[in-house]
Amino acid sequence: MRKVAVCAPATPLKREYAEAVAKLAASEFPGITLDFHEQCFIEEGHFAGPDEVRLDALLECANAPDVDAVWFAKGGYGSNRIARDFIGKAGPEAAGKTYLGYSDCGTLLGALYRAKIGRAVHAPMPVDIKRDGGDEAIRRVLGWFGDGKTGLEPGLSGKPVAAFNLYTLGMLVGTQLMPPLDGHEILIEEVGEYEYAIDRLVFHIVEHLHDVAGIRLGEVTAVPENDRPFGAEPEEIVRYWCERYGIPYLGRAAIGHSSANRIVPFGLEA
């Protein structure tokens, strides 16, 4: 992949982060051209512009004949508001592209995977440059653009796989954007949720995950302290619901809201 378009389907990216990512790419990965759409920097309330502006930017990137990949700039709530219209309006050029992101943008990845448009890939995003060790997260993706191997999640088994933020997956299941995941290993991660909320989310998703190959748990970070202890750690929670629903629990995964977040191509792409 040589030319990568960056847009923000949800919330805005600070220009300083885009500049830092572009500088790193230019100095260490000169064969890759990053094109940050100006829409990334629009701020309107919570979002990187109104729904129609974010949708237009995503379609422009996806339908551009000279673009190889579309890299989502940042998560934060919002991509679900444009996902259905994007799938309906994506042109033939969109089918040949790779789409990368995670967190809230898992909604788009799931919708793309369901519609069989391009290649959906869970991966760090440009905003991750701000994290401790963020340079390495960006290098991981830029290296993967070059060889398709750098930075892959080490536990990929050869079975079809999909990776999601737990809350995002919980909002996706039961909707017209949810892809069929029979036979898949499902990797989940979470950030900033109480343990009781994690329990409720896992209960909700296992009700919808039928005939999956198993669940692996990534990082669960920034768990708030509740007014009383829940009594179970996140891994215990996932094990409990997997056992109750007859879903294999497959251990831990190297994904999450940190600079250690690894790359997971959906399906058998790895």
Side-chain angles (χ1 to χ4, degrees):
M1 283 170 273
R2 293 293 176 229
K3 185 170 182 180
V4 179
V6 185
C7 61
T11 58
L13 181 70
K14 291 185 178 179
R15 197 176 293 273
E16 64 188 274
Y17 299 150
E19 292 171 351
V21 171
K23 182 178 179 180
L24 190 157
S27 63
E28 299 183 28
F29 299 87
I32 297 172
T33 300
L34 296 183
D35 182 9
F36 283 85
H37 197 291
E38 192 62 26
Q39 173 270 328
C40 292
F41 315 115
I42 297 174
E43 297 185 30
E44 181 162 313
H46 175 85
F47 303 108
D51 290 353
E52 59 271 18
V53 170
R54 303 196 319 280
L55 175 61
D56 286 349
L58 179 56
L59 286 168
E60 182 181 333
C61 294
N63 292 332
D66 61 337
V67 167
D68 300 308
V70 179
W71 197 8
F72 304 138
K74 187 176 180 291
Y77 174 71
S79 67
N80 65 302
R81 294 168 62 106
I82 64 173
R84 185 179 66 173
D85 287 340
F86 169 65
I87 295 300
K89 295 179 179 180
E93 294 288 351
K97 291 181 175 52
T98 299
Y99 301 84
L100 302 95
Y102 74 106
S103 193
D104 174 82
C105 290
T107 302
L108 280 170
L109 297 179
L112 285 159
Y113 193 48
R114 177 187 175 113
K116 297 181 173 60
I117 296 174
R119 296 187 295 164
V121 180
H122 166 106
M125 297 180 289
V127 69
D128 288 312
I129 192 78
K130 72 177 184 179
R131 299 185 186 277
D132 290 339
D135 285 7
E136 287 307 310
I138 301 304
R139 288 188 181 97
R140 193 174 304 131
V141 179
L142 295 173
W144 185 85
F145 282 140
D147 62 18
K149 298 178 181 179
T150 297
L152 290 174
E153 205 281 330
L156 298 179
S157 68
K159 292 183 179 179
V161 65
F164 294 96
N165 169 259
L166 176 60
Y167 192 96
T168 301
L169 180 58
M171 297 301 101
L172 186 61
V173 294
T175 72
Q176 60 189 295
L177 303 176
M178 177 68 180
L181 295 175
D182 293 2
H184 287 61
E185 293 183 1
I186 312 302
L187 280 56
I188 55 173
E189 56 83 21
E190 190 49 86
V191 60
E193 292 291 339
Y194 290 100
E195 286 165 340
Y196 74 81
I198 293 169
D199 188 83
R200 181 166 55 200
L201 284 164
V202 178
F203 154 70
H204 180 63
I205 68 164
V206 295
E207 282 280 349
H208 293 268
L209 295 180
H210 305 293
D211 299 318
V212 297
I215 293 177
R216 293 173 58 205
L217 177 64
E219 293 181 339
V220 180
T221 53
V223 178
E225 185 176 347
N226 198 20
D227 59 353
R228 66 181 68 192
F230 181 69
E233 298 292 323
E235 186 170 16
E236 295 176 83
I237 291 168
V238 177
R239 284 182 179 274
Y240 170 83
W241 287 111
C242 282
E243 181 178 351
R244 213 169 144 176
Y245 278 75
I247 297 172
Y249 175 70
L250 304 174
R252 302 306 298 260
I255 64 168
H257 278 67
S258 78
S259 59
N261 189 22
R262 302 297 283 269
I263 296 171
V264 182
F266 280 37
L268 291 169
E269 289 296 329

